[in-house]
Amino acid sequence: MPDSQMHLAAFITAGPGRPGGWRYPGSVPGWLSARYYQDIARTLEDARFDLAFFADILSVPDRFGGSTDSQLRNGALGSMRIDPLHVLSSMGAVTSHLGLAATVSTTYAQPFTVARSFASLDHLTDGRAAWNVVTSFQESEARNFNLDEQFSRNQRYERADEFLEVAGKLWDSWEDDALVLDTETPLFADPDRVHAINHAGEWFTVQGPLNVPRPPQGYPVVIQAGASTKGKDFAARWSDVIFCSHASLESAKDFYTEIKERATAHGRDPGSIKILPSIAPVVGATHAIAQQTFDALFELVPPLGGLSTLAYHLDVDLSTFPLDERLPDVEVPGVEGHYREVREITERDGLTLRELGKQYGGRAEGGFIGTATEVADGLEHWFTEGACDGFMVQAPYQPGGFEDFTRTVVPELQKRGLFRDEYEGNTLRENLGLPRPEPGEWANRISTQKAVQ
Amino acid sequence: MPDSQMHLAAFITAGPGRPGGWRYPGSVPGWLSARYYQDIARTLEDARFDLAFFADILSVPDRFGGSTDSQLRNGALGSMRIDPLHVLSSMGAVTSHLGLAATVSTTYAQPFTVARSFASLDHLTDGRAAWNVVTSFQESEARNFNLDEQFSRNQRYERADEFLEVAGKLWDSWEDDALVLDTETPLFADPDRVHAINHAGEWFTVQGPLNVPRPPQGYPVVIQAGASTKGKDFAARWSDVIFCSHASLESAKDFYTEIKERATAHGRDPGSIKILPSIAPVVGATHAIAQQTFDALFELVPPLGGLSTLAYHLDVDLSTFPLDERLPDVEVPGVEGHYREVREITERDGLTLRELGKQYGGRAEGGFIGTATEVADGLEHWFTEGACDGFMVQAPYQPGGFEDFTRTVVPELQKRGLFRDEYEGNTLRENLGLPRPEPGEWANRISTQKAVQ
Ligand SMILES: Cc1cc2nc3c(=O)[nH]c(=O)nc-3n(C[C@H](O)[C@H](O)[C@H](O)COP(=O)(O)O)c2cc1C
Ligand SMILES: Cc1cc2nc3c(=O)[nH]c(=O)nc-3n(C[C@H](O)[C@H](O)[C@H](O)COP(=O)(O)O)c2cc1C
């Protein structure tokens, strides 16, 4: 049964966000300052958001003409990005309920390090940590980690599967009651309840145990945004939350149905996966103000900023195509989901590549532009039509865009009973309505998988 | 010329600290809570401490009888340890001047990841980040990172040298003024001032640039504690701060003289390396109270807790020797500095192995036990005798031990003009009296090295 209320996450960039957004009057260039993120965190928690989410990338992409210039010059999505894990701890220090999600790649990290990092964050924030699992898809990232070229998509997902298997074993390596703290005996931790994991697989050999007790949430919340068939399957197996991007209600509904079916096939309760499409609402006191705000923002998007971001998202060097013609059909090694979206836009609106660059950089994903009532109507429609369990909300410019949304749209959703007035629980899992996993739950999921195959 | 005032750092454990300390009345088992560290951070900043320092380890050591039992049961140093990087961000959120230092291993991490993490922390804290560079020395750590056994010490230090070289190049990959933020042109970052590094070495191939602007401090402060000849040489080349451990004033003086000479040989100003021996002062309102406090703490040290920690520090399975005899001379693959200290204690006090375990766990390093005046006398003596540039202060139990020290000993040092009343600057480098490195400084240091060899 779908939830009766939607979940709201904020998509924040630890760097300039939407191309052009940093040029908008009132945008604050505070991406290097803890205060900036802490102010956003307070705004979101006051509005009862489920979580703050940080995307990530491990390079300045050079997929457009083999150069980082167009990213840097235009302050495009990949131009600058600080480590989201530090940002989360800073935000955690000034909040008590907001979930805290960071992207970490399974391709360029080690399971012991990542399992420990999220377990530590989960303890320090009393159960509010979430991990957006990505497999990475840029050659420029591979080249920052000793490789000439990336592993194939298949290899990356195989590695990711094993990475999560090991992480789960490490989180389970301390039983929930292993930390005894008996000062008399003394018995600090009970050795009979802390176990080596002795994992020896294709990609990783890890003895364990972790040197951190089991996280308050059992496992941190797992988020995923894989868009290929392989990616959707991975997401259906492991994710608590799925983040996606759609150009229309129809494609969102199709995706929603498909993922819930895949989850069922994996023996999981489809209600235990929350699907949150990314939206970029622009809200105004009147419809005209909202539209003019959107137009003013759109005006500021440098076409090559958007285009060089699209180039790295698709992993296609778009500098080789004529700017004033339509993008032809291309082979896309990168994010298939973004390509699907781009094809839909290009055909619907008859865009040249230059226009597409501006559109890709400046589009209001989901098309929610209007008064708070109008935006709430749109969100309600998507939600009740079965296209999603809530939304991943981008701000058209930071931090003001979050203030506008939380001050006007959230109260409207609350009035309609579509969004919480108060947090239901303390941990992120509790607020998402997800059970705390029992030790061994992932191990069981893997062996069920193996039995099914 | 030596500084006229000493520097003070706090050695904090993100887990139970000194063996037995967690059993002491008034010790708070808050190692999993952000509040716990934030309270300590405020205490240290109120007392004008230079920095808070976190040691680290990437396993629960099993060097005593091949088992983690004695560590876990006794709450020994390696029993539990959360990720210090998250702890630092949490502490940074409630302070404005305190330096923040975490240990990260060059053996089990990648330079892009680590350079980015510390650059991000340095930005978020306005120039307060420090990195304790370690090469790791436990087989149990290697076994958590896909290896059956460790690289040799030589290999580890070679890797560490190249790791720091790459990190320096990444921190320099954005020139200091590369972030322009001109919203009109637009010019977010100037592509002519952001450079690929194209490093291709023995251990690492890294294209760069980093996706984070140059840190406020140029490079974060580098701390090191290598104790072998190789380690001391590494420290003399790279370190801003050296952390060491000595059983006597004499050995501290010898070490101090040697390191400053090595630094000079590397073409560095010896004053640009601050040497901080680790001390564990126990202070009381009267000498008798301090002594009784020490005795009560010592009483609580489980011998096998200390001994299993010594086993992993030396990397020698001490479970194979009779507990009631003296430790014979052994080959020490682990920390030579700790072995030197232990030999000194064993011979001086004629200790059996069991007694040594208790002593190693519970010793008051430096022997500073007494009233605030007495402890200040001792610290003044070491400082004016040329044994150190300040101290790395451990608390006999946390957090109370830090409160005792800052409330009583610090004011005494301030009265004597031996410690600051106010922070001299904003960044950690400023407070340590270290210049901000120019871009390319490390690269120059390396080529000078190569010329010298
Ligand atoms: C909406 C959305 C957001 C994404 N965010 C990130 C991200 O922050 N970092 C990243 O490396 N990949 C990100 N990805 C990429 C996916 O994690 C995945 O690697 C990519 O879709 C390629 O996987 P696929 O082979 O399943 O298409 C995102 C993908 C989508 C659709
Ligand atoms: C006082 C002191 C503190 C140390 N702290 C750590 C630590 O937190 N983590 C770690 O892995 N190694 C630590 N070490 C070990 C050193 O970094 C170094 O790896 C060890 O001394 C072996 O290097 P060596 O070959 O130069 O002796 C410490 C050593 C000393 C002397």
Side-chain angles (χ1 to χ4, degrees), chain B residues 248-377:
Chain B
S248 68
L249 175 60
E250 282 61 45
S251 73
K253 280 169 71 171
D254 291 348
F255 181 84
Y256 188 85
T257 309
E258 183 187 344
I259 293 283
K260 299 272 167 158
E261 281 168 9
R262 274 180 200 272
T264 308
H266 282 285
R268 298 184 60 194
D269 169 7
S272 70
I273 304 187
K274 308 300 176 191
I275 300 181
L276 310 183
S278 156
I279 59 169
V282 181
V283 59
T286 66
H287 186 87
I289 291 173
Q291 187 61 51
Q292 283 164 27
T293 303
F294 173 78
D295 293 345
L297 280 156
F298 195 78
E299 186 59 34
L300 294 173
V301 179
L304 292 190
L307 212 54
S308 63
T309 296
L310 181 59
Y312 88 75
H313 281 171
L314 303 183
D315 199 12
V316 171
D317 183 359
L318 297 176
S319 78
T320 61
F321 298 97
L323 277 175
D324 294 310
E325 295 176 18
R326 237 186 254 193
L327 176 68
D329 284 341
V330 288
E331 188 72 38
V332 168
V335 186
E336 291 175 20
H338 287 323
Y339 185 56
R340 216 161 30 236
E341 197 187 336
V342 155
R343 283 258 65 99
E344 217 176 316
I345 305 173
T346 303
E347 273 140 42
R348 188 187 60 205
D349 303 340
L351 302 177
T352 66
L353 191 58
R354 185 195 312 275
E355 289 162 343
L356 177 62
K358 211 166 158 93
Q359 186 68 33
Y360 191 73
R363 74 199 186 285
E365 281 158 280
F368 303 107
I369 301 174
T371 62
T373 311
E374 287 167 341
V375 170
D377 287 347

Side-chain angles (χ1 to χ4, degrees), chain B residues 26 43 281 283 393-407:
Chain B
T43 299
V283 59
V393 182
Q394 295 184 49
Y397 64 102
Q398 287 180 185
F402 287 120
E403 285 152 24
D404 293 342
F405 186 87
T406 56
R407 223 174 15 225

Side-chain angles (χ1 to χ4, degrees), chain A residues 56 86 89 116 143 207, chain B residues 56 86 89 116 143 207 211:
Chain A
D56 200 33
H86 286 297
S89 304
R116 184 171 179 235
R143 290 196 298 263
Q207 177 177 271
Chain B
D56 199 34
H86 285 297
S89 303
R116 185 171 179 236
R143 290 194 299 262
Q207 176 177 270
N211 49 359

Side-chain angles (χ1 to χ4, degrees), chain A residues 379-417:
Chain A
L379 302 186
E380 178 167 5
H381 186 55
W382 278 48
F383 182 64
T384 52
E385 281 286 306
C388 63
D389 299 302
F391 299 92
M392 184 76 82
V393 181
Q394 295 184 49
Y397 63 102
Q398 287 180 183
F402 288 120
E403 285 152 25
D404 294 342
F405 186 88
T406 55
R407 223 173 15 225
T408 63
V409 180
V410 168
E412 183 62 32
L413 295 172
Q414 287 169 327
K415 212 168 64 189
R416 302 180 190 188

Side-chain angles (χ1 to χ4, degrees), chain B residues 399-448:
Chain B
F402 287 120
E403 285 152 24
D404 293 342
F405 186 87
T406 56
R407 223 174 15 225
T408 62
V409 180
V410 168
E412 184 61 33
L413 295 171
Q414 288 168 326
K415 212 169 63 189
R416 302 180 188 187
L418 288 167
F419 191 61
R420 68 168 70 83
D421 292 307
E422 266 313 326
Y423 285 107
E424 293 84 11
N426 291 312
T427 70
L428 176 57
R429 281 192 183 277
E430 286 165 3
N431 289 315
L432 286 170
L434 298 171
R436 181 174 188 275
E438 291 299 316
E441 169 155 339
W442 276 9
N444 293 337
R445 222 182 269 174
I446 296 158
S447 47
T448 313

